Amino acid sequence: MSIRIIKKGLLDTIQDRGRYGYQHLGINPTGVMDFVSMRLANALAGNEEQEPVIEMHWPAPVIRFETDTCFAISGAAVIARIDQQTEIPVNRTVFVKAGSQLSFEKKLSGARIYLAVQNGFNLTPWLNSNSTHLQLNHGGHHLTTGAVVEFNKALSHTISITKFYPWYIQSPIDLSDSTIHFTRGKEWGLLDETMKELFKQNIYQISNESNRMGYRLNGTPVYLQHSTELISTAVTKGTIQLLPNGQPLVLLADHQTTGGYPRIGHVISADVPKLAQFETGQSIRFKEITIEEAHQRLKNLDLYLKQTEIACKLRMADL
Amino acid sequence: MHVFPAFEFYACGDHGFTLDFGQQIDININGFVIHLFHQLQKNRRSYILDIIPAYSSITVVYNPLSFTKCNTNPESVIHEYFTNAILQTENIQATASVDIIRIPVCYHPSLAPDLEPVCKYHNIDIDTLVTLHTQKTYRVFMNGFLPGFAYMGTVDDRIATARHSNPRKKVAAGSLGIAGNQAGIYPFESPGGWQLIGRTSVSLFDLHSDNPCLLKPGDQVQFYSIPIESFQS
């Protein structure tokens, strides 16, 4: 009743929505980079939305299902196969028999792939979360070759051949639109009008120094009217810090809890999953909206995901 | 207690609000921050994900979706949450006495690569540095940077030293560093730019405890010198 990593990928970890409630101790929340794809994978696997999943990067791992399994993959658009034959579509519910081997052949777009298995993984939470804390190498599970992750529960029926449910779901993440929405940060007002305009007009390229801690961006440098050093305050997921070299750094899942760089803006919560699916070398543009609009966008996204979750539940109950 | 200091209240993206007392490192201001932190924790609300005190600010991280059902405005709700905590803080008469956490430190060049350069820079010997560093009690202003890392102050001006302009790629766990007038101990091996003047074998972060950090905001800390023979890494 488990999966086994036959060959590890670039970075494969167990993640959930994050370890909240401990940032006052310097313990950063970590968690999935793209909560949208996590929820889609869970919905398709018949799980509750917060069930821990495996987050994978490219190159992706080779995984063997040691038991009959119902699973789903979501996130990056990939060509995946079972036993190097049957192609496994993303955003579909898949059933495979024990001994099946999942490998990823090609990635078309996106940066992160999520795998959910029905009934979830059997894990030992640390401080109420199963997210892998990479810096501490604790909590969740940083998966390497040979790693085994147990399931909570076996399927109620046996599987003899690879099959899919006859429906798929559409991810609300649209990577063809490179707009990332932001709200103003505390130090936004320290930019003069020209610099504000430049920040909004810039086409920012995602630097190869980007990772789960944050995305470093490269564009025409933007400077404050007077360079300033701030004493440390809390920073959160999505905070856009302006580095002394005039380039922005967007903080993501593994960000530190506090920081002292000027906070010129914050990527809205609804756009963090999309940003997390853009890869090194790709370009994005920022567009300013109000906090009310940001909340509306998050609400709409949540509604779409809730409807998808309900639809999946009803369909599965029908079968 | 003193008059409640002036502050700014502003949004930290679409999921946070910060109460900020301005750009100052001050024991009284930080005292307000920590009182506020405890008040907010005591009256924790279901929409709160985290409450993060810093030197002179405190940030609440919330779940925006908690507000969609009841159609209330997070800003006014959280503003009121802060206001109630501020009113409670004003009633506090005096700072509660806190125990002093004593931490053994081995000030030896073999364990602390910046000990001799820092002494040389200030033109003092190691014994003088040790005396100046151990005779003070330090306050934990905040945690941050790494899990369990405590920003402590204030280091005597006679030994205060700016951080390295090029951070080290690897600083040993337990290293005691100074950066300007701040002191801090690296709980784990990590990159870091502080001037390393000593090392402790005390564990600052226990992965297997529900209360993992030795040092928390508001704690008082004193260092005492131990000989290299007593140091166990």
Side-chain angles (χ1 to χ4, degrees):
Chain A
M1 234 181 32
S2 61
I3 57 157
R4 180 184 294 273
I5 306 296
I6 299 302
K7 190 179 166 212
K8 69 172 182 171
L10 180 67
L11 177 62
D12 317 316
T13 58
I14 297 276
Q15 299 290 346
D16 59 17
R17 285 301 295 274
R19 184 173 287 103
Y20 284 94
Y22 301 92
Q23 289 200 71
H24 60 286
L25 302 175
I27 303 172
N28 39 347
T30 72
V32 285
M33 290 282 278
D34 167 7
F35 70 83
V36 169
S37 300
M38 168 191 173
R39 280 178 71 172
L40 295 180
N42 272 329
L44 288 160
N47 295 334
E48 295 301 320
E49 58 168 282
Q50 68 277 8
E51 195 63 43
V53 296
I54 299 178
E55 181 182 270
M56 299 170 280
H57 296 78
W58 198 263
V62 177
I63 296 172
R64 188 166 69 212
F65 299 95
E66 307 277 35
T67 186
D68 294 355
T69 307
C70 166
F71 74 94
I73 50 178
S74 189
V78 287
I79 294 174
R81 290 187 195 279
I82 290 295
D83 299 330
Q84 295 184 330
Q85 288 172 13
T86 321
E87 190 178 332
I88 300 295
V90 293
N91 295 328
R92 288 275 285 268
T93 306
V94 187
F95 292 86
V96 290
K97 65 177 183 345
S100 300
Q101 204 155 294
L102 171 68
S103 57
F104 296 85
E105 191 178 291
K106 201 175 172 193
K107 182 166 67 68
L108 307 167
S109 67
R112 294 159 225 283
I113 311 159
Y114 293 86
L115 172 84
V117 302
Q118 191 163 94
N119 302 318
F121 299 107
N122 184 5
L123 304 158
T124 309
W126 174 56
L127 302 178
N128 308 317
S129 164
N130 286 306
S131 282
T132 306
H133 197 297
L134 283 166
Q135 206 172 13
L136 298 178
N137 193 20
H138 197 70
H141 198 155
H142 181 185
L143 303 169
T144 52
T145 302
V148 172
V149 191
E150 298 285 335
F151 297 167
N152 278 323
K153 218 172 119 191
L155 291 182
S156 51
H157 54 283
T158 56
I159 311 294
S160 52
I161 186 169
T162 302
K163 58 178 184 181
F164 321 111
Y165 275 152
W167 72 80
Y168 75 102
I169 54 180
Q170 178 85 45
S171 173
I173 296 177
D174 175 12
L175 293 179
S176 68
D177 175 7
S178 60
T179 310
I180 298 292
H181 297 90
F182 77 102
T183 60
R184 294 178 176 199
K186 176 67 170 49
E187 280 74 51
W188 174 254
L190 300 181
L191 296 167
D192 68 22
E193 293 309 313
T194 316
M195 287 299 166
K196 284 177 186 167
E197 208 43 44
L198 180 56
F199 177 73
K200 292 196 247 186
Q201 294 303 323
N202 251 336
I203 292 168
Y204 281 111
Q205 199 180 42
I206 298 167
S207 133
N208 57 11
E209 287 172 87
S210 301
N211 54 33
R212 279 184 44 95
M213 286 174 83
Y215 273 16
R216 281 173 187 266
L217 306 176
N218 286 322
T220 309
V222 168
Y223 298 107
L224 300 180
Q225 292 179 63
H226 308 284
S227 77
T228 181
E229 231 179 87
L230 305 162
I231 62 167
S232 286
T233 53
V235 287
T236 65
K237 203 192 287 180
T239 298
I240 307 169
Q241 295 181 323
L242 187 62
L243 302 182
N245 65 1
Q247 303 295 354
L249 164 63
V250 184
L251 300 179
L252 295 168
D254 287 351
H255 70 83
Q256 289 181 196
T257 57
T258 56
Y261 292 122
R263 301 150 289 179
I264 56 170
H266 302 269
V267 171
I268 67 167
S269 301
D271 279 358
V272 166
K274 176 170 153 178
L275 179 60
Q277 287 296 356
F278 279 115
E279 302 165 83
T280 296
Q282 285 189 302
S283 297
I284 57 159
R285 266 176 101 140
F286 288 110
K287 185 175 180 210
E288 189 190 350
I289 59 170
T290 64
I291 289 175
E292 290 70 29
E293 287 172 297
H295 285 160
Q296 195 54 49
R297 282 175 178 269
L298 185 64
K299 203 170 152 180
N300 294 346
L301 179 61
D302 182 61
L303 194 64
Y304 179 90
L305 292 168
K306 276 209 165 75
Q307 285 167 345
T308 306
E309 282 153 3
I310 291 166
C312 285
K313 249 181 205 158
L314 292 174
R315 291 267 197 153
M316 283 179 169
D318 271 356
L319 291 171
Chain B
M1 213 169 187
H2 311 277
V3 177
F4 202 80
F7 58 83
E8 269 186 276
F9 178 74
Y10 55 83
C12 181
D14 61 9
H15 59 288
F17 283 101
T18 300
L19 197 73
D20 195 329
F21 298 103
Q23 294 295 313
Q24 49 200 330
I25 298 180
D26 176 279
I27 287 177
N28 288 322
I29 300 273
N30 186 251
F32 278 117
V33 168
I34 290 160
H35 276 311
L36 262 179
F37 170 70
H38 291 302
Q39 284 304 326
L40 293 170
Q41 283 277 40
K42 214 170 15 178
N43 300 307
R44 212 179 164 89
R45 303 281 190 256
S46 61
Y47 55 79
I48 301 285
L49 294 173
D50 262 306
I51 306 167
I52 316 168
Y55 276 110
S56 84
S57 68
I58 185 158
T59 299
V60 158
V61 181
Y62 67 96
N63 178 5
L65 293 173
S66 304
F67 293 87
T68 53
K69 273 177 228 145
C70 42
N71 223 7
T72 48
N73 174 7
E75 180 164 5
S76 56
V77 172
I78 292 170
H79 191 271
E80 195 186 320
Y81 175 56
F82 269 117
T83 308
N84 289 335
I86 289 168
L87 293 173
Q88 296 295 322
T89 308
E90 280 178 337
N91 291 334
I92 292 165
Q93 292 303 309
T95 317
S97 67
V98 277
D99 291 338
I100 294 176
I101 299 165
R102 302 190 74 233
I103 296 179
V105 175
C106 181
Y107 298 86
H108 191 278
S110 67
L111 297 169
D114 298 318
L115 182 61
E116 284 173 329
V118 166
C119 287
K120 207 170 172 186
Y121 177 79
H122 291 284
N123 205 13
I124 53 175
D125 57 26
I126 291 179
D127 288 343
T128 310
L129 178 138
V130 171
T131 306
L132 289 171
H133 196 254
T134 53
Q135 70 188 11
K136 286 194 87 164
T137 303
Y138 297 84
R139 173 191 182 81
V140 176
F141 282 92
M142 59 182 277
N143 288 128
F145 171 51
L146 290 171
F149 185 92
Y151 288 86
M152 292 176 271
T154 38
V155 171
D156 193 297
D157 282 336
R158 285 168 285 181
I159 54 172
T161 314
R163 70 189 77 195
H164 291 285
S165 48
N166 278 320
R168 284 193 172 84
K169 289 217 166 66
K170 242 189 205 180
V171 170
S175 292
L176 167 67
I178 54 177
N181 292 94
Q182 305 174 99
I185 304 168
Y186 289 84
F188 316 97
E189 183 183 287
S190 93
W194 291 29
Q195 304 280 350
L196 311 177
I197 60 164
R199 205 186 296 177
T200 183
S201 52
V202 167
S203 164
L204 287 131
F205 193 86
D206 182 357
L207 287 169
H208 304 289
S209 166
D210 287 339
N211 197 3
C213 294
L214 177 68
L215 305 177
K216 290 187 253 334
D219 284 350
Q220 297 288 329
V221 178
Q222 193 160 27
F223 302 107
Y224 64 97
S225 175
I226 57 162
I228 186 129
E229 298 76 39
S230 332
F231 181 83
Q232 290 143 345
S233 60

